[in-house]
Amino acid sequence: MNSINRNNGESNNGKSSIFDGLKQDLDLYFLGLSRLGSSKALTDKEEDEEEAPKELNTINSSGGFLVVAPDKLSVKYTSVNLHGHDVGVVQANKPAPVKRLLYYFEIYVKDAGAKGQIAIGFTNEGFKMRRQPGWEVNSCGYHGDDGLLYRGQGKGDAFGPTYTKGDMVGGGINYASQEFFFTKNGAIVGTVCKEKEMKGRLFPTIAVHSQNEEVHVNFGQKKFAFDLKEYEAQERLKQQMTIEKISLPPNISYGLVRSYLLHYGYEDTLNSFDLASKSTIPPIYIAQENGFDEQDIVYALNQRKTLRQLIRNGEIDAAISKLHNWYPQIVQDDKSATCFLLHCQKFIELVRVGALEEAVKYGRIELAKFFGLAGFDDLVQDCVALLAYERPQESSVGYLLEESQRDVVADTVNAMILSTNPNMKDMKGCLQSYLERLLRQLTACSLERRSANGDQGEAFHLHQVLTIGRDMKC
Amino acid sequence: MMPLFWIVSRQLAEIAEQMATSKKVITREEWEKRLNDVKIRKEDMNKLVMNFLVTEGYVEVAEKFRMESGTQPDIDLATITDRMAVKKAVQCGNVEDAIEKVNDLNPEILDTNPQIFFHLQQQRLIELIRNGKVEEALEFAQEELAPRGEENQSFLEELERTVSLLAFEDVSNCPVGELLDMSQRLKTASEVNAAILTSQSHEKDPKLPSLLKMLIWAQNQLDEKAAYPRINDLLNATLEDPAV
């Protein structure tokens, strides 16, 4: 009369990992990490793959009044204008991209013609192409003949200087401040609020209206007269200054760095860090009472460090051996992502030293069974592909030979060891350091905020923040 | 007992208000999914940590981290040791020593930062006063600091403040007593540290604290548009369910 064992029967020497029921999710998590370095991951890196305007749209321009040059970068008014409905208007071939801080383009007035009635601005898709930008709703235009800014009605507002032959005039959108801005010959003329009515995609627009007016347009193919990068940096700085004023709990950076080191098992660094914090002036003591429960992460610190070292040195056999000794439950299931990644890495190490025959043998024994398995398949194929190249490090699967790939395996083993801690309450604690969770939250909030703003503006992206240096996005 | 009409109309008013101010609600489940979709590279997090260690001047820690993680420091670690020596000298009140070291590192730093040079000289004066060397202090103030004060109004004011320390028997209770505080040394040390970093074309602040502030800011901004799981306790990074 034995009660039926309700567990899924996985015997882990009595130490059941909290992962028993979540095995599949975990596998996918680790496998996902292992492919972050591949080129495919890089192409879907950011939604910044918006197409930017490159030339003028000859299809919907008000033909009959104007002529667009073959290179689609300049326009001339050929007619004689008689009234307000024979404006020669041209839009760019694509709308202004929105997933960035600013968009900008410039025109050069080659010839002011009879009356200098040139305009630069933005219009939406259904714009009446015989009217000056700004004269109709959902459009705005800075006009050269009177220097006024028109925003959806026949009467313009005082805005800036007039402009004529030889002038470089630019128009832009600032998504952070939701404004249009215009420049003349490299200097800002002014900004104006981009009202909510101007929704939807906006097309950079130019217009000519009297005989022989000729305008050339620059969508960024040539250097702008206006220092856009500097302006962008200034705008970012404004936002940064607001953010800098926010106060943080004391020593929180130290606390997060410390817990990061603990999480990943960087024992030597941690010890050195503790020493350094104490000898700082003033000494830094990280609050432990409300802080993280150190017991959870000091767990198996030395073993995790040892294993990481072995894996980072490519000594996979030694690592597997140690795991069998210390944590057999982790390497017990040969079909788990952990074992899989270890086997892949061993394969990679064999390729690295040129032992290709041995690699093939190893692959047949340990990796073949993963072909066709969802989630595992991609990585197996990439690994095997290494064999095809004389210089695999230069191939599309070269990422496998990088140090970062070893690090992924080390991180996986690290997480699995943490999972054997009977005190560990939730999965996330094993997988992500506090620092990582905060960074994810920051990214998710930033994306949602942008989405709520009609997908306009920049979103936070850690990789870009680090590569660009002092420019910070949010 | 309220007539039914009033009860209903009050309920309708409440609903109307909720709808007017209603924000998009994102459930915990949905939000967790989004969090999981974020792709963060380990190397980038390592870089962030290394940047912190290096900017704060923890040379040995940075070296250990380089060995254990394979992350390259973004500046030459040797320059950190020099910079830290300067910082320490100021923190300990050895201003002359600090000035010498800064000039050894890069003589242009003090040349191009008159304010920092003045603050260092001011600190020197403070130390002389602290050690009871009244005559020496006055001589120093008159010969070295007064000429700077003549060039610059705010320097002059600072100089006068500092000299006024001498007027008090019990310096710990006087209005300018804070000049004798450790915090004054730390402030100057920090200034010098930043100037050195800038001269080495390195950002003077670590990125990590700015990112944390950005998180707080981003959440505050998003609060206006949506109800979603927030992280209020940064140190524990715990998600709290949206208040519905």
Side-chain angles (χ1 to χ4, degrees), chain A residues 42 244 246 252 254 260 266 268-269 280 290 407 411 428 434 440-441 448 453 463 470 473, chain B residues 24 31-32 34-35 38 41-42 44 46 56 58 68-69 203 210 213-214 219 225 229 234 236:
Chain A
L42 289 177
E244 282 303 310
I246 296 174
I252 187 164
Y254 286 86
Y260 182 87
Y266 293 120
D268 293 343
T269 313
T280 311
N290 300 331
D407 215 36
D411 289 344
K428 245 200 197 155
Y434 293 131
R440 283 173 184 264
Q441 180 79 356
E448 177 58 33
N453 271 340
H463 189 69
R470 53 175 57 212
K473 302 179 180 185
Chain B
K24 175 175 175 188
W31 191 252
E32 296 257 17
R34 292 188 195 194
L35 290 175
V38 173
R41 282 188 237 184
K42 173 88 180 305
D44 288 337
N46 280 350
E56 291 295 291
Y58 291 154
E68 283 194 308
S69 73
E203 285 153 40
S210 296
K213 291 181 187 185
M214 220 189 270
Q219 287 191 138
K225 305 262 166 113
L234 290 190
N236 288 329

Side-chain angles (χ1 to χ4, degrees), chain A residues 99-396:
Chain A
K99 285 180 178 151
R100 51 172 76 178
L101 180 59
L102 306 172
Y103 175 74
Y104 181 76
F105 75 107
E106 273 185 357
I107 61 171
Y108 171 66
V109 182
K110 183 84 195 287
D111 192 335
K115 299 183 195 166
Q117 289 168 333
I118 297 144
I120 179 176
F122 293 91
T123 59
N124 69 346
E125 190 146 6
F127 186 69
K128 287 199 197 126
M129 298 300 278
R130 289 149 183 244
R131 303 277 287 158
Q132 286 278 13
W135 282 358
E136 300 290 319
V137 289
N138 282 335
S139 71
C140 85
Y142 171 35
H143 291 199
D145 58 348
D146 53 15
L148 300 180
L149 188 80
Y150 291 79
R151 277 201 288 176
Q153 48 196 39
K155 185 170 177 312
D157 304 316
F159 185 66
T162 58
Y163 54 89
T164 182
K165 174 170 174 178
D167 287 329
M168 293 271 230
V169 185
I173 309 178
N174 181 335
Y175 293 108
S177 61
Q178 287 290 299
E179 290 176 328
F180 292 113
F181 63 97
F182 293 92
T183 71
K184 178 183 172 184
N185 294 332
I188 277 270
V189 170
T191 65
V192 67
C193 184
K194 175 174 164 301
E195 281 137 28
K196 299 220 179 75
E197 295 89 64
M198 286 209 70
K199 285 192 287 241
R201 302 307 227 150
L202 295 177
F203 288 81
T205 307
I206 61 180
V208 285
H209 197 202
S210 71
Q211 195 169 27
N212 290 330
E213 282 175 22
E214 186 179 339
V215 163
H216 295 217
V217 69
N218 177 7
F219 289 118
Q221 296 99 332
K222 291 186 294 198
K223 190 161 152 30
F224 291 130
F226 179 63
D227 192 346
L228 186 66
K229 284 224 176 311
E230 179 57 36
Y231 188 63
E232 209 172 342
Q234 278 172 16
E235 291 299 299
R236 286 226 179 88
L237 200 59
K238 274 190 216 162
Q239 194 173 66
Q240 230 178 304
M241 284 180 14
T242 325
I243 295 175
E244 282 303 310
K245 296 204 180 91
I246 296 174
S247 64
L248 292 171
N251 293 333
I252 187 164
S253 298
Y254 286 86
L256 287 170
V257 166
R258 188 168 193 275
S259 67
Y260 182 87
L261 297 173
L262 261 180
H263 176 92
Y264 282 111
Y266 293 120
E267 190 183 25
D268 293 343
T269 313
L270 178 67
N271 291 336
S272 180
F273 184 74
D274 281 341
L275 206 60
S277 315
K278 291 197 187 97
S279 59
T280 311
I281 300 169
I284 297 173
Y285 295 112
I286 296 151
Q288 303 278 317
E289 335 88 15
N290 300 331
F292 55 91
D293 193 350
E294 205 170 293
Q295 286 312 108
D296 290 340
I297 324 187
V298 178
Y299 178 81
L301 181 58
N302 188 265
Q303 291 172 328
R304 291 185 285 124
K305 174 196 106 160
T306 307
L307 280 163
R308 180 178 295 276
Q309 264 176 358
L310 287 172
I311 296 173
R312 283 186 58 82
N313 283 336
E315 299 173 48
I316 307 297
D317 287 329
I320 295 180
S321 162
K322 285 252 188 292
L323 278 172
H324 273 293
N325 258 342
W326 293 339
Y327 299 99
Q329 68 270 47
I330 293 179
V331 284
Q332 174 193 315
D333 175 8
D334 208 39
K335 282 254 176 62
S336 67
T338 313
C339 287
F340 172 66
L341 288 174
L342 283 163
H343 288 316
C344 281
Q345 196 58 39
K346 168 105 189 122
F347 179 88
I348 292 169
E349 296 306 325
L350 288 170
V351 172
R352 193 196 303 277
V353 297
L356 298 185
E357 263 195 57
E358 213 184 315
V360 169
K361 257 194 268 179
Y362 191 80
R364 287 197 182 138
I365 300 174
E366 301 292 357
L367 296 183
K369 55 178 167 293
F370 291 103
F371 267 106
L373 275 188
F376 296 82
D377 202 46
D378 290 328
L379 188 54
V380 174
Q381 294 208 22
D382 280 2
C383 283
V384 172
L386 282 171
L387 294 169
Y389 299 95
E390 219 184 286
R391 280 203 295 272
Q393 60 270 35
E394 289 166 26
S395 72
S396 63

Side-chain angles (χ1 to χ4, degrees), chain B residues 219-234:
Chain B
Q219 287 191 138
N220 290 342
Q221 291 271 306
L222 187 54
D223 283 343
E224 291 168 26
K225 305 262 166 113
Y228 61 97
R230 273 179 133 265
I231 292 183
N232 295 319
D233 177 4
L234 290 190

Side-chain angles (χ1 to χ4, degrees), chain B residues 122-134:
Chain B
Q122 180 191 19
Q123 194 63 44
R124 209 164 138 194
L125 179 59
I126 293 171
E127 300 305 325
L128 286 169
I129 296 175
R130 189 202 307 278
N131 293 326
K133 301 193 177 139
V134 180

Side-chain angles (χ1 to χ4, degrees), chain B residues 19 22 34 45 55 63-64 83-84 89 109 131-132 134 136 141 157 169 183-184 197 209:
Chain B
M19 282 175 71
S22 74
R34 292 188 195 194
M45 290 195 287
T55 320
E63 191 49 59
K64 288 273 182 329
R83 172 166 57 92
M84 286 303 112
I109 295 176
N131 293 326
V134 180
E136 220 180 307
E157 281 164 21
E169 277 279 348
S183 57
Q184 182 66 21
L197 277 167

